Amino acid sequence: MAPPTARVTENTDRQPSQADSTETTQQIVDTDRSSQQPNGSAKSAESVPAEPKLSGAELKKKKQAEKAARREREKAERAAAGGTSVAPNTPAPPQAGKGDSQKKSKPNQQDQKSNQQDKAQHFRRGSGTTPTSQKLPVRSSQPSTQAMTRKKPSSKEVGLFGHLYGHPRRQTLHPTPPKEVHPSVLNLGLQMSTYTVCGSNARCVAMLLAFKAAINAYTTPPQTSLARHLTSHYLSPQITYLNSCRPLSISMGNAIRWLKDLIIKIDPAVPEQDAKLDIADSIDAFIRERITAADTLIASAAADKIQNGDVIVTYAKSSIVQKTLLQAHTQGKRFRVVVVDSKPLFEGRNLARALSNAGITVQYALVTATSHALGESTKVLIGAHAMMSNGRLYSRVGTAVVAMQAAERDIPVIVCCESVKFTDRVALDSIVGNEIADPDELVGEARGEARSEGGTDVEEVQGNAVNNQGALKDWRKRENLQLLNIMYDVTPAEYIKMVVTEYGSLPPSSVPVVHRISTTV
């Protein structure tokens, strides 16, 4: 057992010697570093400038502070030039130092976010420049001239229908009318704006005849073809002018699409004169088949639904309803007609006059007396400006009132409408799409005649009529008074019993099917 003891003793003797050598080596290295440190500190003291070097975050913060100070100075100068004194709120530049940068790291981040939000807000306001292309303009407390000159909506426009107010209608011919507009189109536009030509069918036929005259006077320019130049360069100004006089009806829009499609399909090899003759013949055929013949078929089908002893209630004036009633009268049927009318057009007066001249018993009432007019009614026969794809009726304002009151009394409502008035549009109300007429048309003259009844003085009645006439004469000068004159309303499909077309009698739900058939034929 002696040898192992000697080995352990030998190892314990060797360990102190190695530790001593390691400590000795470490002391030598430390003495070398300590001997070099004074020289290094001297060199660094000579090379470091008076101010310590800033970090990237501190430099960025310093630039932002200088930029903010410059803005405040410019703001103060502009305010002083405008006559007001504003003390600039110039922040002090940041102090250099690493300790300060650690203390102010959070405020630095907040400043960066606020500057970014200011930039984003500036570019959202529509400056139209990028941060690198142009310097940011100085903000001022005074409102900008662009905001001050911004057009405000007229106080006389009803806010709910504000999107329908556009350019005012052309009431007279322009002293220097555009050269590209044909004289026949100029004449038609004036007649449409003054309601001389009124009604969907009448306007559609008059427009096609005016386009026919304009196409006959058309000459294709050199280096082009009739199919390309006639629609885009010649017909488009005519359509724009008519739309400026009065918004186009649904039937007019369908006729314009049909005419453009016809012109585009013309073979360029066809001579110009022959092409114009073909277009004129096609226009005549369209009027004859889609309007004239369709009215005849509809009047015949609707007249068969009128029986002896019926009391027919109609609203305003529809050419197809007038034909229906006259045809039923010529068939020997005895019935009575109640014409319901309203301001400002009073179209029902012309219908009542025409029916009474034909020998039909007619009663005339305003829309306010609709409930009394429907008291003895057996059928309601009305026309249409358009039939929407969801089966709703788009017609003269007041039609919905008559149809809803009739449906409440279980009186069938029959609509007479040509397929040229069908559209693939959908209408849920009368607000999104409508036509706004001149509000001054509602301020009409008193048309009643003063009579002496029951000892009433005629002069007193005339004086009251004059006072009522001038009650709204100066309505534009009254601050809190607005007048709304909309032309059409929408009647829900559940109040309509039947729609009579040239394709037969059908429910309102079949309108999109008939429209698809009529446009593909």
Side-chain angles (χ1 to χ4, degrees):
M1 297 299 293
T5 305
R7 291 179 182 177
V8 172
T9 305
E10 184 179 358
N11 291 335
T12 55
D13 295 339
R14 289 179 182 177
Q15 288 177 356
S17 63
Q18 291 177 357
D20 295 339
S21 62
T22 304
E23 291 177 359
T24 305
T25 306
Q26 185 67 29
Q27 290 176 359
I28 295 172
V29 174
D30 292 340
T31 54
D32 294 340
R33 288 181 178 178
S34 62
S35 61
Q36 294 176 1
Q37 186 172 2
N39 296 332
S41 60
K43 292 181 181 179
S44 61
E46 295 176 357
S47 60
V48 173
E51 294 183 359
K53 186 177 180 181
L54 301 178
S55 63
E58 291 174 342
L59 288 174
K60 189 173 182 180
K61 184 178 179 181
K62 184 177 180 180
K63 291 181 180 179
Q64 290 175 355
E66 293 175 354
K67 195 173 186 179
R70 186 172 61 254
R71 288 182 181 177
E72 292 295 336
R73 288 194 301 271
E74 293 177 355
K75 180 179 178 180
E77 293 175 359
R78 294 186 64 178
T84 59
S85 60
V86 179
N89 187 14
T90 305
Q95 298 293 332
K98 294 183 180 180
D100 295 338
S101 63
Q102 293 177 357
K103 293 180 181 179
K104 298 180 180 180
S105 59
K106 292 185 179 179
N108 187 17
Q109 295 177 359
Q110 294 178 357
D111 294 339
Q112 293 178 5
K113 290 182 179 179
S114 62
N115 290 332
Q116 292 177 359
Q117 291 177 357
D118 293 340
K119 291 181 181 179
Q121 183 179 6
H122 166 69
F123 290 111
R124 280 197 300 269
R125 289 181 180 178
S127 63
T129 57
T130 58
T132 57
S133 61
Q134 211 172 14
K135 293 183 178 180
L136 293 175
V138 179
R139 298 194 192 99
S140 61
S141 59
Q142 299 177 354
S144 61
T145 57
Q146 183 178 2
M148 296 174 62
T149 58
R150 185 178 300 170
K151 183 180 178 181
K152 297 182 179 180
S154 175
S155 60
K156 297 303 178 182
E157 295 180 359
V158 181
L160 185 62
F161 297 87
H163 60 284
L164 299 176
Y165 290 92
H167 297 287
R169 293 182 183 178
R170 297 176 182 267
Q171 299 292 339
T172 58
L173 288 176
H174 197 274
T176 57
K179 297 180 180 179
E180 62 272 10
V181 180
H182 194 266
S184 60
V185 179
L186 292 173
N187 186 25
L188 175 60
L190 181 60
Q191 293 176 348
M192 288 170 51
S193 62
T194 57
Y195 302 109
T196 304
V197 177
C198 190
S200 181
N201 285 346
R203 287 195 288 159
C204 182
V205 172
M207 181 196 68
L208 290 176
L209 294 178
F211 286 171
K212 178 182 175 182
I215 291 173
N216 289 333
Y218 168 77
T219 303
T220 306
Q223 305 299 328
T224 186
S225 62
L226 180 141
R228 293 184 177 180
H229 187 269
L230 180 59
T231 55
S232 59
H233 295 81
Y234 189 73
L235 281 183
S236 294
Q238 324 288 335
I239 298 170
T240 303
Y241 177 80
L242 290 179
N243 194 30
S244 65
C245 296
R246 187 180 174 185
L248 303 179
S249 63
I250 298 297
S251 58
M252 295 172 71
N254 292 336
I256 289 172
R257 281 189 290 272
W258 165 84
L259 182 59
K260 287 185 175 181
D261 185 68
L262 174 68
I263 295 173
I264 290 174
K265 293 180 180 178
I266 295 177
D267 189 358
V270 177
E272 178 182 340
Q273 193 64 27
D274 295 342
K276 293 194 294 184
L277 291 176
D278 292 341
I279 295 173
D281 294 340
S282 299
I283 291 176
D284 293 336
F286 183 89
I287 297 174
R288 182 174 57 255
E289 296 174 2
R290 300 296 301 275
I291 298 177
T292 306
D295 289 351
T296 303
L297 293 174
I298 294 172
S300 178
D304 294 340
K305 304 182 184 304
I306 299 176
Q307 305 297 328
N308 289 324
D310 280 344
V311 179
I312 308 298
V313 174
T314 185
Y315 181 74
K317 180 182 182 297
S318 173
S319 59
I320 185 62
V321 171
Q322 181 177 343
K323 289 183 180 180
T324 300
L325 297 175
L326 292 176
Q327 184 168 347
H329 180 68
T330 57
Q331 294 175 358
K333 299 178 181 179
R334 302 183 63 83
F335 55 91
R336 187 158 48 94
V337 178
V338 180
V339 178
V340 181
D341 203 5
S342 66
K343 292 185 69 172
L345 298 181
F346 292 107
E347 296 175 291
R349 295 181 177 182
N350 297 328
L351 177 62
R353 184 183 299 109
L355 296 178
S356 61
N357 292 337
I360 302 175
T361 304
V362 181
Q363 292 181 352
Y364 181 83
L366 293 179
V367 69
T368 52
T370 301
S371 58
H372 298 283
L374 293 171
E376 300 179 358
S377 174
T378 56
K379 293 181 180 67
V380 175
L381 197 63
I382 53 180
H385 180 82
M387 286 298 299
M388 299 297 173
S389 181
N390 56 346
R392 299 202 170 194
L393 170 64
Y394 185 73
S395 188
R396 185 73 69 205
V397 61
T399 305
V401 175
V402 177
M404 285 187 284
Q405 292 193 22
E408 186 179 357
R409 292 172 170 81
D410 293 331
I411 301 174
V413 178
I414 302 174
V415 179
C416 300
C417 183
E418 303 88 343
S419 62
V420 73
K421 297 180 181 178
F422 288 9
T423 179
D424 54 358
R425 301 180 188 175
V426 174
L428 301 178
D429 52 44
S430 306
I431 301 174
V432 176
N434 211 318
E435 178 182 348
I436 296 290
D438 188 3
D440 290 326
E441 298 174 1
L442 296 177
V443 189
E445 298 180 357
R447 302 185 182 183
E449 296 180 358
R451 297 181 180 179
S452 176
E453 296 181 358
T456 305
D457 190 4
V458 176
E459 295 181 357
E460 181 181 355
V461 176
Q462 289 179 350
N464 293 334
V466 172
N467 292 333
N468 293 333
Q469 175 184 349
L472 297 177
K473 190 175 181 179
D474 57 345
W475 68 275
R476 293 186 181 274
K477 298 179 181 179
R478 302 188 181 185
E479 183 178 358
N480 299 322
L481 181 60
Q482 296 175 336
L483 296 184
L484 177 64
N485 186 15
I486 58 175
M487 297 294 293
Y488 304 102
D489 63 11
V490 176
T491 303
E494 54 266 24
Y495 300 128
I496 301 173
K497 182 70 174 180
M498 182 186 304
V499 180
V500 183
T501 68
E502 66 267 29
Y503 292 94
S505 301
L506 46 94
S509 58
S510 300
V511 169
V513 179
V514 175
H515 177 63
R516 184 165 57 250
I517 294 174
S518 62
T519 54
T520 55
V521 172

